[in-house]
Amino acid sequence: MCGYSQEGFANEIAIPRAYYGTVERGKQNITLKTLHQIATGLDAAPSQLLHQAESWNESNFPALRRAGRPRK
């Protein structure tokens, strides 16, 4: 991610590392403010991140399958 460690990126965007880690793992929903902070840190528009998220599916998140969540 832009050459940062998870901790470095979280510090750069002023989000606690532990919280950001849960976001990365898909275990935490985020607010629009947090979306904006992440997008700014990635030098992207929030809409770009949302557009990319539309193309994701459960195959991108094997941890969800292991957690026993039903497939869509």
Side-chain angles (χ1 to χ4, degrees):
M1 180 177 357
C2 303
Y4 284 109
S5 65
Q6 185 183 71
E7 183 174 12
F9 185 71
N11 287 336
E12 181 71 24
I13 62 173
I15 293 177
R17 195 231 27 100
Y19 173 75
Y20 183 72
T22 62
V23 170
E24 264 195 6
R25 290 189 304 276
K27 295 181 180 262
Q28 179 71 44
N29 291 324
I30 61 174
T31 64
L32 290 174
K33 178 184 176 188
T34 302
L35 175 65
H36 185 265
Q37 287 173 275
I38 294 169
T40 299
L42 295 172
D43 196 27
S47 60
Q48 288 177 290
L49 300 183
L50 293 174
H51 179 73
Q52 289 176 346
E54 288 179 351
S55 66
W56 293 349
N57 60 49
E58 198 171 277
S59 66
N60 299 105
F61 300 99
L64 294 179
R65 288 195 305 276
R66 287 193 303 269
R69 295 185 182 181
R71 288 184 177 218
K72 292 182 180 178

